[in-house]
Amino acid sequence: MTVRPLDAPELPPEVLLRVEHLTMRFGGLVAVDDVSFDVRRDEITALIGPNGAGKTTVFNCITGFYKPTVGRLTLRRAEDESWLLERLRDHEISRAAGVARTFQNIRLFGGMTLLENLLVAQHGPLMRASGFTLLGVLGFASYGRAERAAIDKATAWLERIGLIDRADDAAADLPYGDQRRLEIARAMCTDPVLLCLDEPAAGLNPRESAELNTLLRSIRNEGVAVLLIEHDMSVVMEISDHVVVLDYGKKISDGSPAAVREDPKVIAAYLGVEDEEVAKVEQEIERIAEESGA
Amino acid sequence: MEYFAQQLINGVTLGSIYGLIAIGYTMVYGIVGMINFAHGDIFMVGAFLALIVYLALAALGVAFAPLALLIVLVVAMALTALYGWTVERIAYRPLRGSFRLAPLISAIGMAIFLQNYVQVAQGARVKPLPPVVRGYFWQSEGGGGFVVNISNVQVIIVLTTIVSMIAFWLIVTRTSFGRAQRACEQDSKMAALLGVDVDRTISLTFVMGAALASVAGLMYLLYYGVADFYIGFVAGIKAFTAAVLGGIGSLPGAMLGGLLIGLIETLWSAYFSVEYKDVAAFSILVIVLIFLPSGLLGRPEVEKV
């Protein structure tokens, strides 16, 4: 079965991905409960929330790991090309819709070289160019060109993340921070329009974390929207243009980093209080602020 | 000494055939983690298809042996590959994601099906192939009384095996498909998220395995001159032993294991007893599983923590 894009664009031009009423149930557990938000082009959107808030579940729905129980995920790749992500098979999410992701625990192909890792990500176009291997085996020139272009792109990315010297080493031999960067480069080699990163800064030292911020900003400036899950608030506040906060599977706040930071519901969620106590906590925070100010 | 040399030559020939079949086992195990017990019968189907194509060509009057063999090889590979693809499509793919034993049982069922199908369709009697390739490539002077022979058939078998292996190796290491295959082997879900069509990659793996098995089938047919519906069972189990001996999942291991099993079997028949050659080969399987569970070239599985 081949999938076709939707006929009419249904999203405003600045919106890349619209998540509507996303709900994911596992038996009796509601991991994500009626969450809606937009990911806009040219923005870094951060998905934050306490542990168990459902952030990774939202990611898994967007990238085809789970089929959502309820909800619609519309991605407008180009002006006249929109996709419903929940209807795509896992490899089509990358190939047709242009969504790439990384994982919290690194999932590189450890036994393959850095270069090969980046080439696997370009398998779709290469497979087409190679006439499904047959022409490639027979040595057709078009395949040679496609393969060279793929290698050039991989090389450019290796240079960009500073790992060109290790192109032929096994990916598993890299130190942790380098593996994280390689995973992002690999995701970018699929030519995505949306890059989903699950805690990219986890386990990085401050210098690596700063490098990561620079890399993510440059990716955004090249027109690829970034959606990231992050625990490190300094990273979130520094680089994101738009923050969505989840708690117990529900969206509790959505807006600019500055607005979200001030949102009492967010503060309460992070401090771990019940909804009824939010007002009380707010007062307390104000009192503390006044006292420290005075 | 001459006797030993002769046995070595025979062993390498037989080992080449086992090695070609073993690749199919090891490759499928690598990518889907199951033992495709129908693979031996795919080899048998390959031998029959080669026989049928050859006889058809003979009836059409293609008498020039090298040309006929080349056509037989290509047509038999294509048709056997189709069988391999079909078996995967109807017997294994619907069971993917099911419990581990399900595809195994399905594979055994498929093996029984193929055997019976060929038995009914082609008859249970042994089918002979008129000798296609005659003569000797090389013969020793025979001063010591024993003449060492390398027949043309043996040369063809070893050369064809080497060429197939090189072609196969190039596909796995140099092409985008090979990379995708290795990526699926390591983490198929991640490969899918990078745009690799995992189902298609698995299908093509079965196709390649079946194509190599049909090469082995043709070689078997040339070497022994006969085929029946039951050859797939013993040859398949021995090739499986070869794959385990070399380290299941390892491609060079499969070839090495095939050669070793071929040599062990031949040397055992030459110096001990022909009757016990299968016992010798399968004792190897038991010994390897006890002392070297990951095989000669296999990587031991390291528990991730």
Side-chain angles (χ1 to χ4, degrees), chain B:
Chain B
M1 191 62 222
E2 282 86 357
Y3 186 63
F4 180 72
Q6 181 67 63
Q7 297 316 317
L8 224 49
I9 292 161
N10 296 347
V12 168
T13 314
L14 187 61
S16 301
I17 296 174
Y18 288 153
L20 282 173
I21 310 173
I23 296 267
Y25 279 105
T26 215
M27 201 161 53
V28 165
Y29 180 83
I31 198 162
V32 270
M34 67 164 276
I35 302 296
N36 175 16
F37 274 115
H39 189 61
D41 295 289
I42 291 286
F43 154 77
M44 177 270 295
V45 168
F48 264 92
L49 286 169
L51 181 63
I52 292 167
V53 175
Y54 181 81
L55 294 177
L57 283 178
L60 288 173
V62 181
F64 182 55
L67 177 68
L69 283 180
L70 200 66
I71 298 174
V72 169
L73 184 70
V74 172
V75 176
M77 273 172 90
L79 292 176
T80 315
L82 193 64
Y83 270 89
W85 181 84
T86 314
V87 166
E88 194 273 337
R89 193 70 190 77
I90 65 177
Y92 305 145
R93 189 183 293 185
L95 296 172
R96 203 162 297 145
S98 172
F99 64 107
R100 268 183 83 87
L101 279 178
L104 194 75
I105 295 165
S106 177
I108 293 170
M110 212 64 215
I112 296 171
F113 168 81
L114 285 174
Q115 271 181 32
N116 285 281
Y117 160 64
V118 173
Q119 184 185 4
V120 172
Q122 296 295 321
R125 260 182 292 172
V126 171
K127 303 279 174 208
L129 175 80
V132 185
V133 185
R134 295 160 201 268
Y136 291 98
F137 177 75
W138 184 82
Q139 280 180 309
S140 71
E141 298 303 313
F146 187 87
V147 185
V148 180
N149 296 318
I150 303 180
S151 68
N152 282 335
V153 171
Q154 286 176 321
V155 174
I156 289 176
I157 290 173
V158 173
L159 281 184
T160 311
T161 305
I162 292 172
V163 171
S164 321
M165 296 304 295
I166 290 173
F168 170 76
W169 188 248
L170 287 178
I171 289 177
V172 172
T173 55
R174 297 286 166 81
T175 68
S176 188
F177 165 69
R179 275 193 300 269
Q181 201 183 28
R182 283 177 290 144
C184 290
E185 231 176 278
Q186 291 181 35
D187 187 342
S188 59
K189 194 72 200 180
M190 191 67 232
L193 291 176
L194 291 169
V196 175
D197 188 339
V198 177
D199 278 341
R200 181 190 283 154
T201 308
I202 292 174
S203 283
L204 282 174
T205 302
F206 274 82
V207 162
M208 270 165 70
L212 287 177
S214 87
V215 175
L218 174 62
M219 298 301 125
Y220 181 96
L221 197 61
L222 287 178
Y223 198 43
Y224 291 105
V226 289
D228 64 58
F229 71 97
Y230 204 60
I231 57 170
F233 179 72
V234 175
I237 296 286
K238 277 191 189 140
F240 172 59
T241 308
V244 172
L245 174 63
I248 192 126
S250 155
L251 299 176
M255 204 58 228
L256 179 69
L259 280 178
L260 285 175
I261 290 288
L263 285 170
I264 289 164
E265 195 183 313
T266 317
L267 293 175
W268 183 279
S269 326
Y271 290 102
F272 299 102
S273 67
V274 182
E275 289 81 20
Y276 281 92
K277 70 178 168 119
D278 291 350
V279 175
F282 294 125
S283 302
I284 300 289
L285 175 65
V286 175
I287 291 167
V288 168
L289 284 176
I290 293 172
F291 293 106
L292 247 179
S294 56
L296 295 173
L297 300 182
R299 274 164 306 197
E301 266 183 40
V302 182
E303 189 79 28
K304 275 183 204 145
V305 284

Side-chain angles (χ1 to χ4, degrees), chain A residues 91 95 107 109-110 116 123 133, chain B residues 176-177 182 186-187 192 195:
Chain A
H91 68 274
R95 253 198 240 177
R107 288 175 78 169
F109 304 118
E116 284 178 327
H123 177 70
T133 306
Chain B
S176 188
F177 165 69
R182 283 177 290 144
Q186 291 181 35
D187 187 342

Side-chain angles (χ1 to χ4, degrees), chain A:
Chain A
M1 188 191 76
T2 50
V3 284
R4 293 206 356 255
L6 298 173
D7 291 332
E10 301 181 6
L11 301 180
E14 76 278 7
V15 175
L16 175 68
L17 170 72
R18 173 160 284 176
V19 176
E20 289 166 289
H21 307 294
L22 180 66
T23 302
M24 186 75 208
R25 291 194 201 97
F26 297 102
L29 175 80
V30 185
V32 177
D33 188 5
D34 197 22
V35 168
S36 304
F37 63 91
D38 284 350
V39 175
R40 285 182 285 276
R41 288 170 210 281
D42 316 318
E43 276 193 2
I44 296 179
T45 304
L47 195 57
I48 66 169
N51 284 328
K55 306 179 296 281
T56 302
T57 308
V58 170
F59 250 50
N60 285 342
C61 291
I62 293 173
T63 53
F65 241 57
Y66 298 152
K67 291 282 164 238
T69 318
V70 180
R72 194 159 81 144
L73 305 156
T74 322
L75 184 132
R76 189 173 177 206
R77 186 172 191 171
E79 202 166 323
D80 53 354
E81 188 188 343
S82 296
W83 300 90
L84 289 177
L85 296 183
E86 73 273 15
R87 295 202 184 150
L88 297 182
R89 287 166 61 207
D90 43 15
H91 68 274
E92 291 162 348
I93 293 215
S94 158
R95 253 198 240 177
V99 177
R101 83 169 282 183
T102 66
F103 285 86
Q104 213 167 324
N105 48 335
I106 294 174
R107 288 175 78 169
L108 289 167
F109 304 118
M112 298 167 78
T113 67
L114 271 61
L115 186 69
E116 284 178 327
N117 265 278
L118 299 190
L119 290 177
V120 167
Q122 305 178 56
H123 177 70
L126 273 179
M127 201 65 176
R128 243 166 286 133
S130 74
F132 304 99
T133 306
L134 212 61
L135 303 181
V137 172
L138 298 177
F140 272 62
S142 62
Y143 177 65
R145 271 199 301 280
E147 177 96 4
R148 260 194 304 285
I151 290 173
D152 285 347
K153 186 165 161 194
T155 314
W157 269 102
L158 284 175
E159 266 162 11
R160 191 160 165 187
I161 59 171
L163 293 174
I164 188 72
D165 295 336
R166 308 202 58 178
D168 293 326
D169 292 353
D173 297 342
L174 287 180
Y176 186 81
D178 292 348
Q179 292 198 1
R180 282 238 172 260
R181 286 209 305 285
L182 181 63
E183 217 184 11
I184 294 173
R186 185 179 64 178
M188 286 304 295
C189 278
T190 62
D191 269 331
V193 290
L194 175 64
L195 177 65
C196 302
L197 306 172
D198 195 346
E199 297 203 29
L204 298 187
N205 64 35
R207 188 180 52 81
E208 288 171 328
S209 189
E211 281 174 11
L212 177 75
N213 291 353
T214 319
L215 179 65
L216 294 185
R217 274 202 210 94
S218 68
I219 287 172
R220 175 202 54 194
N221 294 343
E222 286 158 24
V224 176
V226 178
L227 175 64
L228 64 114
I229 293 179
E230 192 48 75
H231 270 305
D232 187 338
M233 279 306 147
S234 61
V235 174
V236 171
M237 293 305 159
E238 199 187 324
I239 66 166
S240 44
D241 307 297
H242 172 202
V243 180
V244 176
V245 191
L246 297 183
D247 190 25
Y248 292 110
K250 289 195 171 72
K251 184 170 89 170
I252 58 169
S253 188
D254 185 346
S256 72
V260 164
R261 186 163 40 185
E262 303 293 316
D263 190 332
K265 274 186 170 169
V266 178
I267 298 166
Y270 272 88
L271 293 177
V273 295
E274 300 295 328
D275 285 358
E276 308 88 68
E277 295 174 54
V278 167
K280 216 166 73 190
V281 171
E282 241 181 310
Q283 284 173 356
E284 229 166 276
I285 291 169
E286 266 169 42
R287 191 172 52 81
I288 294 167
E290 275 168 23
E291 274 174 15
S292 61

